[in-house]
Amino acid sequence: MTGFATRQVHARSAGRDDAGRATGAPDAAPSARVVPRATPVYLTAGFEFEEWEQAAGHFGAGEGFAYTRTGNPTTAAVEQRIAALEGGSDALFLASGQAAVTVALLGLVQAGQRVLAASSIYEGTRGLLLENLPRLGIEADFVDDAADPAAWERAIRPETRVLFLESIPNARNDLPDLAAVADVAHAHGLVLVVDNTLATPYLLRPVEHGADVVVHSASKFLAGHGSVLGGVVVDSGTFDARASGALYPHLVAPSRTGGPSVADRHGGNARLAYLRETVAPRFGPTPSPLNAFLVGQGIETLSLRVARQSAAALEVARWLAFRPEVASVDYSGLDSSPSHALAKRYLPDGQGSVFTFTLHGGAPAARALVEAVQVFTHMTHIGDVRSLVLHPASTSHVLRTPAERAAAGIHPGTLRLSVGIEDLPDLIADLDRGLASARAAAEADAGTPADAGTSTTRKETP
């Protein structure tokens, strides 16, 4: 197999054709036909059928392209690339990361069934599980310690159909033990879905550790430039109709017209095929081909960006851990992190570039830092080439109770960083400026020097 950087530029997944790359009349001489090196953008709602049989073949067997809501050559090319990088059998590109999570889950659970998730997942996904899916009769349970397989085992109910977690939780950085959780899921015949947005396939490929389905917000690191939205579902291709058919009968039952089941037609790819044929086109989170193209462009430099961002994030985290204004740093790359052993096992090439740290001075100090920095951008996004900062307690986690926020490691003085590709000295200088403002704000609020206390962070060796 070729290396990751080579695959991110050249790879196509087996069994699917990058349709439409050649241009020119179908009967033109080879010298008159043009094959573009970059993926073309097929910005069209539909595709013309050249003959009667072609239309029948599409609607009968799913051959070719007819309407962008059900497939597009530009989108298909990006799907192939992502599937190859994740080590999956196939992928489905959607309009956003939240659409990817929703479509993946709706392809596996139905009314009366349950999703078992790690409690430290992204707040938007948590809201989906607590507020939206229950209206469809789908309930959720949560596991506080995602690294403890026994906790997952205890929480499984007869109605559970999916185990869901993030490879690097946003934003606590409390890593799960992927292989152990996969073993628990498979012992019950259940599907493990992993959100791999923060790790990216460059740092971690969950399929290699037993994940059945992988989802991404492609708006983040895969795109990298913060310009477009997109999401993707990748399937491992390991669906076993004989072993799992009773738990997922919609995949093995005959079609509504009495025809072959999804599993009969697609074998191990039944889960992804069901999403592509039945869930995504009917709920309609169709991505723009232009957005797919731009995500594909970003993927070609994924390894370069993620390696640089992860290395810089580690240095920033180490620097913050020594600052007297900082109470704690939650980053799995630090020796002091409870997740450091798992990070060495699952993330040897880098621990990602999104993490939180907490200031002694609480919310006034956090506000002062955010308003003082100039290189870090204050916005709700991650995975950008630009470094970003956000105050979770007043933004992404504002709907949680104070007790829920504290349990999730989100305190009044907690800030989330997403480290970009800027020069490290500039990032450090910017945070130094911010910490000076934070210290002054904390002193003014408390009437005493903000660094009078002792940091709760165990200091790292340089």
Side-chain angles (χ1 to χ4, degrees):
M1 178 184 292
T2 56
F4 187 91
T6 302
R7 297 200 306 279
Q8 73 186 7
V9 176
H10 294 285
R12 303 177 198 169
S13 61
R16 294 192 58 195
D17 179 30
D18 187 0
R21 293 183 70 244
T23 62
D27 57 351
S31 60
R33 292 174 64 79
V34 177
V35 180
R37 185 60 190 88
T39 302
V41 181
Y42 287 85
L43 200 57
T44 178
F47 300 86
E48 182 179 354
F49 295 120
E50 296 181 356
E51 57 186 10
W52 181 280
E53 288 77 12
Q54 185 181 16
H58 174 77
F59 284 93
E63 299 171 354
F65 300 97
Y67 197 63
T68 286
R69 182 163 56 84
T70 59
N72 180 284
T74 306
T75 304
V78 176
E79 291 170 345
Q80 293 171 45
R81 188 71 48 83
I82 297 173
L85 293 181
E86 278 288 5
S89 62
D90 201 358
L92 175 64
F93 196 83
L94 297 157
S96 68
Q98 194 65 69
V101 172
T102 303
V103 167
L105 293 180
L106 289 178
L108 294 167
V109 292
Q110 63 185 32
Q113 297 177 348
R114 309 183 74 87
V115 176
L116 178 59
S119 61
S120 58
I121 57 176
Y122 164 62
E123 189 63 16
T125 304
R126 185 171 177 270
L128 172 72
L129 295 177
L130 290 175
E131 297 178 350
N132 301 102
L133 293 186
R135 296 185 62 203
L136 303 179
I138 301 167
E139 301 292 338
D141 303 294
F142 294 90
V143 172
D144 290 332
D145 186 358
D148 180 9
W152 290 92
E153 181 73 43
R154 289 192 299 269
I156 291 175
R157 304 190 189 189
E159 301 83 16
T160 304
R161 292 297 180 271
V162 174
L163 274 59
F164 182 92
L165 51 79
E166 297 175 358
S167 55
I168 299 179
N170 178 11
R172 193 176 179 182
N173 252 242
D174 51 334
L175 301 183
D177 189 338
L178 280 179
V181 178
D183 287 343
V184 171
H186 297 160
H188 293 267
L190 304 177
V191 171
L192 174 62
V193 179
V194 177
D195 186 331
N196 199 36
T197 298
L198 269 66
T200 81
Y202 175 66
L203 296 179
L204 176 66
R205 290 169 293 281
V207 170
E208 296 177 358
H209 301 283
D212 302 291
V213 176
V214 177
V215 295
H216 283 272
S217 172
S219 321
K220 311 303 192 298
F221 291 96
L222 295 183
H225 36 62
S227 302
V228 297
L229 297 182
V232 67
V233 182
V234 181
D235 197 278
S236 63
T238 57
F239 177 73
D240 185 336
R242 181 171 300 177
S244 303
L247 292 174
Y248 308 97
H250 58 293
L251 300 180
V252 298
S255 72
R256 64 186 181 189
T257 61
S261 69
V262 180
D264 288 336
R265 291 184 288 112
H266 297 281
N269 281 335
R271 289 183 298 247
L272 200 286
Y274 184 79
L275 302 185
R276 187 185 301 283
E277 296 175 358
T278 304
V279 182
R282 291 177 183 163
F283 282 86
T286 306
S288 164
L290 179 59
N291 283 14
F293 168 81
L294 291 171
V295 170
Q297 292 291 101
I299 289 172
E300 294 181 355
T301 60
L302 177 65
S303 62
L304 304 178
R305 290 183 282 105
V306 172
R308 180 182 177 97
Q309 289 168 292
S310 295
L314 178 58
E315 294 305 314
V316 168
R318 286 172 171 167
W319 181 82
L320 285 170
F322 278 93
R323 292 296 300 235
E325 304 90 346
V326 176
S328 62
V329 181
D330 294 313
Y331 184 63
S332 67
L334 297 179
D335 292 342
S336 57
S337 169
S339 294
H340 189 60
L342 287 171
K344 290 194 294 184
R345 175 181 173 189
Y346 288 107
L347 299 164
D349 296 324
Q351 294 77 50
S353 56
V354 179
F355 66 93
T356 59
F357 68 99
T358 300
L359 297 170
H360 281 298
R367 176 172 181 163
L369 185 148
V370 167
E371 293 180 345
V373 292
Q374 299 173 9
V375 178
F376 281 83
T377 301
H378 181 206
M379 63 181 290
T380 176
H381 189 53
I382 55 175
D384 202 312
V385 291
R386 291 158 282 269
S387 291
L388 315 174
V389 61
L390 192 72
H391 182 242
S394 62
T395 58
S396 60
H397 289 65
V398 70
L399 295 180
R400 293 199 188 191
T401 66
E404 289 174 337
R405 286 196 291 268
I410 303 298
H411 306 286
T414 298
L415 292 169
R416 184 186 72 184
L417 298 183
S418 175
V419 177
I421 65 170
E422 300 95 341
D423 290 316
L424 180 62
D426 294 330
L427 296 176
I428 296 296
D430 198 43
L431 289 172
D432 188 50
R433 179 188 305 112
L435 288 175
S437 294
R439 181 171 61 253
E443 290 173 352
D445 184 66
T448 56
D451 58 356
T454 301
S455 172
T456 59
T457 302
R458 182 165 63 83
K459 300 305 183 182
E460 296 299 304
T461 55

